[in-house]
Amino acid sequence: MTVTVRPAVPADASTIFGFIRALAEYEKLLHEVEATQADLAGHLFGETPRLFCDIAEQDGAPVGFAIWFYNYSTFRGRHGIYLEDLFVVPEARGIGAGKALLRALAQRCEAQGLARLEWAVLNWNAPAIAFYDGLGAASQSEWTVRRLTDEALRKLALG
């Protein structure tokens, strides 16, 4: 069982969208998925992509993905990577695919002189938290994530 990681290509759009839906179902958030496969393909593979994806494969078959983008730390004065989604299909968990995806992002950070790799995890997702703890990922408990969407976002935009 060999796990490899490669950058996604346009032919992966359907697989990636399937992974997104599977992740949303696992997180009990499938009802919140508004994106379409076409949206995703445009953002990942359009003229000026600002979203990126790596695919983990086991013996050539896709088993997981990491969707990420560059962020910036004003305090560190350097870019970093924000991991938006990490998902490995249940039947491939434990073979090293998640770790391989994170390793590939860490290697990108090192190669490009980036300051950090960060992500969020749901409070109830104990298996993921244990996995991240095992990698040495520090919890940022002093920060609280805030978000504006939908009506609140429109209201602020309109003044």
Side-chain angles (χ1 to χ4, degrees):
M1 287 192 279
T2 303
V3 175
T4 57
V5 175
R6 63 170 176 80
V9 296
D12 293 317
S14 175
T15 298
I16 296 166
F17 190 66
F19 285 154
I20 290 169
R21 292 186 56 81
L23 173 61
E25 188 171 358
Y26 173 75
E27 293 181 342
K28 300 169 184 65
L29 297 171
L30 188 57
H31 63 281
E32 291 189 17
V33 176
E34 297 175 13
T36 67
Q37 184 176 318
D39 292 333
L40 181 67
H43 293 296
L44 285 169
F45 309 115
E47 257 185 61
T48 55
R50 291 180 279 190
L51 183 67
F52 306 93
C53 182
D54 294 329
I55 302 287
E57 294 180 329
Q58 177 188 11
D59 299 325
V63 295
F65 80 130
I67 289 190
W68 57 275
F69 53 88
Y70 291 99
N71 60 11
Y72 188 80
S73 169
T74 56
F75 288 9
R76 304 274 317 262
R78 296 189 325 216
H79 284 89
I81 286 178
Y82 187 84
L83 175 62
E84 179 65 24
D85 287 329
L86 178 72
F87 179 75
V88 175
V89 296
E91 57 273 17
R93 293 182 186 152
I95 65 165
K99 189 172 186 177
L101 286 161
L102 286 169
R103 179 178 287 122
L105 290 173
Q107 289 170 342
R108 179 180 301 276
C109 288
E110 286 294 305
Q112 295 180 6
L114 305 178
R116 62 188 178 198
L117 170 60
E118 62 186 358
W119 62 91
V121 60
L122 289 167
N123 294 339
W124 58 260
N125 194 345
I129 292 168
F131 171 65
Y132 299 142
D133 285 348
L135 296 175
S139 175
Q140 299 295 300
S141 58
E142 66 275 12
W143 294 90
T144 301
V145 176
R146 303 303 302 248
R147 180 177 294 163
L148 284 171
T149 61
D150 303 323
E151 187 55 33
L153 180 62
R154 281 188 286 280
K155 185 177 177 181
L156 180 60
L158 294 173

